[in-house]
Amino acid sequence: MHDRAQACTPIQKVHKYAVQSAASHASVSAAALELDVAGMQRTSPIGPALEEPYAQAAEPARFNWEKQWYPVAVTDDLDPSRPRAITLLGQRLVLWRGRDGDWQCFNDRCPHRLAPLSEGRIELSDGTLMCSYHGWRFAADGTCTNIPQAADAKANAQACASPRACASPRPTLQRHGLLWVWAGGGGAVAALEAAATPPVLAAELDPEAEGLPTRTSDGRRAAMRSYYYRELPYGWDTLVENLTDPSHLPFSHHTVLGNRYDELAGRIELWPLPRAEGSSADHVGAEGRLAVGRLNPGKVQRRRFLFAAPTHIGWPVLDEQGTWEVTLVTYVTPIARGRSALFLSLAVAGEKVLPGLRLQFLLPGWFTHHRSGLVLDGDSVLLCLQERIIADQLAAGKGGWRGRNGYYMPAPADRLVAAFRAWLDGRGGGGPTSLSAGALPPTPERKEDMLDRFNQHTRFCPSCSRALQAFQALRVAAAAAGAACLLGVAAALGGGAAITAKAPAALASGAVLAAALFVIFGRFAQTYIYVGWDHPSNH
């Protein structure tokens, strides 16, 4: 009989990881902050293209998409009492937490008859993951601990000790409030590779990072707002391209993040970060000046835009003193072809941050997530359909984004998009191999499917799920109160009271108030299910 310790190779626990910074934060001169309006208004060829230093300096080896860490869930949003199904690079996986308190990741299939373990349950008696099909149980290291169909205890022990009875675990890691999974499979070799490969993290959020400049003069590092998580009906590359394109903000997000009628709307100057500041061939970055804000037309901000493969994108904002005070932090995870996941957070530092930004850290998630949802709603229909148009171009042999029938990008605002696409086509090999084969999912026919907040966000977010349930309950209560008031009015009138009498009038007013609350609570509940976004009507 095989020894169980040798039957399955457990994933080694990794306690310390080096931090890979997206980029350092160098100071800039005061002269560089001056806005050249005339220069921004000129339409000029893209050269010298931003992508050239990255394409020429790229290492000959292709980027290995599988041997990387990817964030897959917000740890505070996970329910430890039940497993959760996820998909990463087209592979079905399951997350679950055992008695030791550590989150595990298995391939989402039972070795018995390949049923999904994500439909299983966490057994309170021993902290194992039970397959709901036949009751097989698995420990955190993947070993099978019980096969109910075994003939006797000896046969059970012998069957459980077989390597074929093991589940397939992956290395996992918790950093920055996220659960990360190693995409390069499981086993001893994968555990060693994972231990030797640090995840690409946002330096602004890491209090343990060494050698990084402090964010403020008083030495305080950035605090982080809770994450907004959303699964989106378009692919990883489409989402990254969108997040490396700040010039779309006043148009796609008019009235939410910008103003399309600002005289500087869409105009942006970009220049590449020196190689010393983006030390990896897998970093693409730029600095720029752009007009932002619907309340301050014409106001210009100095920003950096950083992409660090495979998941991190950061938008640090430079304040008047030349320090990076606010950073929009995003992690982008490739789920499958035509599907991606976004983790969105805000990092702020110091006491000088505007009160409105500091307030965001005090507000509950269900309140702030609505605005984050509005931002993504402004892009989703555009990007979902854009991706299908590119796929049709490729199918027709017209080169996708490249070539005469591809993108036409004559303005400086598109330079970072060009740089990202050059990195992806060159060093990135076009993207993850597992996502390049096969057709895209069918094009959603309705906006309700492209902007499905419930299935894309609310069902994963405990705060928004509770808010939805609360507003639905309040709506029922308002309906019940209104009905009670109307019955009271009917009873009073039936008893001979005049409609203008004190009691009937008060009950009638209560019915009107209840009807208004019914409508209001219904609209609040709807924000967690679906909010329509119509660009032609957005004035």
Side-chain angles (χ1 to χ4, degrees):
M1 183 174 67
H2 298 284
D3 185 277
R4 182 176 300 178
Q6 298 177 350
C8 298
T9 304
I11 295 298
Q12 300 177 5
K13 302 293 181 186
V14 181
H15 297 286
K16 243 184 147 178
Y17 285 84
V19 175
Q20 184 173 336
S21 168
S24 62
H25 302 286
S27 60
V28 295
S29 66
L33 293 174
E34 297 179 1
L35 176 64
D36 178 7
V37 176
M40 292 179 69
Q41 291 176 339
R42 284 195 301 268
T43 299
S44 60
I46 200 168
L50 246 184
E51 70 268 24
E52 289 178 0
Y54 297 98
Q56 292 173 359
E59 300 170 8
R62 290 288 176 88
F63 184 80
N64 192 323
W65 294 92
E66 280 68 36
K67 294 184 179 181
Q68 304 291 333
W69 289 99
Y70 293 89
V72 295
V74 181
T75 50
D76 286 345
D77 292 350
L78 290 170
D79 184 352
S81 68
R82 56 188 303 129
R84 172 170 157 180
I86 64 167
T87 303
L88 174 62
L89 294 176
Q91 304 169 65
R92 288 179 53 87
L93 306 171
V94 58
L95 306 175
W96 67 286
R97 195 175 79 172
R99 182 171 288 177
D100 60 1
D102 292 332
W103 284 96
Q104 313 297 334
C105 179
F106 290 177
N107 290 345
D108 192 14
R109 59 178 183 268
C110 178
H112 176 214
R113 298 263 290 277
L114 306 185
L117 291 172
S118 57
E119 289 297 317
R121 51 177 287 113
I122 311 299
E123 280 300 300
L124 297 178
S125 60
D126 57 4
T128 57
L129 175 62
M130 174 189 283
C131 177
S132 292
Y133 196 17
H134 293 93
W136 285 36
R137 298 191 186 193
F138 301 92
D141 63 357
T143 56
C144 182
T145 63
N146 187 45
I147 299 177
Q149 294 75 25
D152 52 39
K154 181 178 180 180
N156 184 41
Q158 186 172 7
C160 287
S162 170
R164 297 192 62 188
C166 297
S168 302
R170 302 279 186 98
T172 59
L173 172 68
Q174 294 185 49
R175 292 298 294 271
H176 288 187
L178 302 175
L179 180 64
W180 302 69
V181 168
W182 181 252
V189 173
L192 292 173
E193 290 175 335
T197 307
V200 179
L201 302 174
E204 294 81 7
L205 302 185
D206 191 46
E208 300 174 359
E210 296 179 0
L212 295 174
T214 57
R215 306 280 80 80
T216 62
S217 58
D218 61 4
R220 295 187 59 197
R221 292 196 180 277
M224 179 183 67
R225 190 183 67 184
S226 62
Y227 284 99
Y228 175 81
Y229 172 81
R230 187 158 174 177
E231 293 188 357
L232 298 163
Y234 41 89
W236 174 91
D237 57 331
T238 302
L239 180 53
V240 173
E241 179 184 293
N242 172 257
L243 293 171
T244 53
D245 170 29
S247 69
H248 80 280
L249 294 179
F251 301 98
S252 294
H253 309 296
H254 175 68
T255 72
V256 176
L257 287 180
N259 186 338
R260 68 169 77 99
Y261 302 112
D262 189 327
E263 63 177 350
L264 297 177
R267 308 261 172 75
I268 179 172
E269 290 181 324
L270 287 174
W271 55 93
L273 292 176
R275 173 57 61 189
E277 299 187 31
S279 57
S280 168
D282 303 319
H283 294 170
V284 176
E287 288 188 5
R289 295 190 287 263
L290 73 158
V292 296
R294 58 191 175 96
L295 300 178
N296 298 293
K299 181 180 179 181
V300 175
Q301 281 186 346
R302 179 71 174 272
R303 292 194 176 192
R304 272 188 176 173
F305 308 96
L306 309 166
F307 164 70
T311 66
H312 173 52
I313 299 170
W315 285 22
V317 179
L318 182 68
D319 71 1
E320 291 80 0
Q321 285 72 40
T323 57
W324 302 99
E325 294 288 339
V326 181
T327 301
L328 182 68
V329 176
T330 56
Y331 292 105
V332 180
T333 296
I335 295 179
R337 184 145 199 230
R339 292 176 59 206
S340 57
L342 175 69
F343 300 84
L344 176 65
S345 185
L346 187 71
V348 300
E351 302 295 338
K352 297 176 290 184
V353 176
L354 294 175
L357 287 174
R358 295 172 63 186
L359 181 61
Q360 302 237 4
F361 290 77
L362 303 176
L363 296 172
W366 60 266
F367 187 88
T368 60
H369 288 181
H370 171 60
R371 180 173 175 82
S372 298
L374 282 177
V375 174
L376 291 173
D377 289 345
D379 288 329
S380 283
V381 175
L382 299 171
L383 299 181
C384 186
L385 298 181
Q386 174 207 17
E387 186 169 71
R388 269 68 182 180
I389 293 172
I390 294 175
D392 291 343
Q393 292 277 74
L394 287 170
K398 296 181 179 180
W401 78 275
R402 287 185 176 276
R404 185 172 182 80
N405 295 300
Y407 292 179
Y408 174 55
M409 300 188 293
D414 291 313
R415 286 177 174 174
L416 192 55
V417 171
F420 164 68
R421 283 292 179 182
W423 177 89
L424 188 64
D425 287 352
R427 163 89 167 143
T433 304
S434 57
L435 304 187
S436 61
L440 286 169
T443 304
E445 297 182 358
R446 308 179 308 155
K447 283 189 177 181
E448 287 85 346
D449 298 324
M450 289 183 266
L451 304 175
D452 184 355
R453 284 198 187 183
F454 180 82
N455 285 303
Q456 294 174 5
H457 169 71
T458 302
R459 68 188 181 101
F460 302 112
C461 176
S463 179
C464 291
S465 294
R466 289 192 295 266
L468 172 60
Q469 294 170 1
F471 284 123
Q472 288 175 330
L474 288 170
R475 193 168 188 247
V476 171
C485 288
L486 291 176
L487 289 174
V489 171
L493 296 178
I499 187 63
T500 56
K502 186 175 181 179
L507 289 170
S509 298
V512 172
L513 176 61
L517 290 175
F518 179 83
V519 173
I520 292 171
F521 292 142
R523 288 182 177 177
F524 274 115
Q526 186 64 29
T527 63
Y528 302 99
I529 300 172
Y530 165 75
V531 175
W533 184 276
D534 184 61
H535 286 285
S537 302
N538 180 24
H539 303 296

